[in-house]
Amino acid sequence: MNKESIKSATLTVLVIISLFFTWNMWNLQPSYEEFQNNSFFESVPIGPERRTPYQVIRPRQLYIHTPEAHFSTLDDQYLEALWTEMQDWNYSLGNNKNIAQTYTEENFNNWIHSKAEAKIELRFLDGIPLETMKSMFEWDTDTNDSIHFDRIYLNVPNEKEAQKVYFVSTENLKIVETSVNLPDENQFVSTIYNKKSEFSSYFAFETDVGNEMMLPENTIELDSYQYLTDEIDDERFKDALFSNPRLVKQDVNFSSNRYTDSKRELNIFPNEHLVRFVNPTLTESSVLEEYLLLEQSINYLNDHGGWTDDYLLFNIDKSNQQIRYVMSIGSIPVLTSTEEYFGPTMISQRWGQNEIAIYERPSYQLMTQISSSNPISLISGKEVAEILKADQSIDISMIKSIYVAYELGGSTDQKYVKLTPSWCIEMKDGTLMKLNGNQGRDKGGLE
């Protein structure tokens, strides 16, 4: 074989090899669609709803204090109007270098119960970091104080006086005084104050130094409601909570549907209408301040569309890095019935290493209000106070709050739930109790 024949044969072999490898490259690589679906599959939110902090961090009730009497209402139209208006105010500390004034117990009580001026009060379910409030409102002064407040007081000024807004911590006996220099705010506050004749009469029931409960003089009438619920599909939770749902495996047993990606675990309990999402690999980490924890918490719910109903901030537990939100009808919390359990009414988050460690929530949402019954009459605040004082097993100094709540109950195998008003006693250790008029109290209940 001459040289030319050898070269020709070698060239032919090389061309064949080249064609073989080219064919393999084109036919064995994953398609673009498959590549996109496996490597860049993004989680899908449960729903489109997003919330701003002021929509979740809202007062529980509004009170009006005159030099002679106290008034309030469970109709939240004035509360919502004032809270929305306050988002547009500019808060000034003026020349006050010490942002928070700390009072003695006696002076704090004197300020709270002062009859020298009329006030409007907004009361929250738990203490709110001042840093969080600064992110919601317009502040003209930079502050670094770690202060938490559970009440806001507004004076009712004369026409040309500055509108004062006081952020008050009953736990630490601190008051932050601010001014709002807008010409129309005096009139807005005065308009709400002048509506007091439409409100019910209230009285102060003191359970501890500086911690008085505002209770109605007379009985309260509220409607009960029946709602149709909708169970959120398991796949929606899987697609929303895992970063790559295509890697998730499912395991079904008699009590729950379990999903895992080998690191995180999602359990859905159909009979309890409960969702539990955990990351057991997380270890203890540095403790975040409450305002950072709250910001992280709201962002997490926004990112996966977790606001499936109206919720209020219920409490912040810094030591356990835990936050809870409670379902609400208007400004009235909705709590779980222990007598006719249907499912949870709270969203609970526990954080570690800036990641969600434990996330529990309802697997259902309230959909259509089917009916409302004739008003139910709750015992008066006077009767509530008498029951509590007569019960030797309750240390009234350990009561954190007393308020009206809706109790959610129903058969777990049905889609209908009933919301019934009741008195709720919240203790400082987190225990919730229900008062049933002459039936006494139902300890450890509601949720």
Side-chain angles (χ1 to χ4, degrees), residues 266-313:
L266 169 66
N267 280 284
I268 299 175
F269 302 88
N271 295 331
E272 301 175 45
H273 303 285
L274 169 68
V275 174
R276 179 180 294 125
F277 182 64
V278 298
N279 186 350
T281 64
L282 292 178
T283 58
E284 294 295 326
S285 61
S286 58
V287 176
L288 285 179
E289 292 297 327
E290 284 96 328
Y291 76 94
L292 293 173
L293 189 64
L294 191 52
E295 179 183 358
Q296 182 173 261
S297 169
I298 293 174
N299 287 339
Y300 178 75
L301 283 161
N302 279 337
D303 288 343
H304 74 264
W307 304 111
T308 50
D309 277 300
D310 286 335
Y311 284 90
L312 290 170
L313 176 67

Side-chain angles (χ1 to χ4, degrees), residues 13-53:
V13 171
L14 291 174
V15 169
I16 292 172
I17 293 173
S18 176
L19 289 171
F20 174 77
F21 280 111
T22 301
W23 181 87
N24 274 278
M25 288 176 63
W26 281 105
N27 286 277
L28 296 182
Q29 69 177 349
S31 67
Y32 173 75
E33 181 180 359
E34 182 181 353
F35 180 78
Q36 185 181 44
N37 288 342
N38 278 286
S39 301
F40 293 102
F41 191 94
E42 294 183 354
S43 57
V44 180
I46 298 169
E49 194 73 30
R50 298 179 66 87
R51 301 283 165 83
T52 60

Side-chain angles (χ1 to χ4, degrees), residues 165-190:
V165 182
Y166 304 91
F167 298 86
V168 176
S169 169
T170 56
E171 180 181 3
N172 299 313
L173 308 181
K174 289 186 175 184
I175 300 175
V176 177
E177 178 183 332
T178 65
S179 297
V180 179
N181 297 313
L182 293 173
D184 297 332
E185 303 320 320
N186 291 1
Q187 183 178 354
F188 191 91
V189 172
S190 295

Side-chain angles (χ1 to χ4, degrees), residues 220-233:
I220 293 178
E221 290 191 343
L222 281 175
D223 288 340
S224 63
Y225 300 101
Q226 190 174 32
Y227 277 85
L228 176 66
T229 66
D230 178 47
E231 199 70 14
I232 302 169
D233 189 82

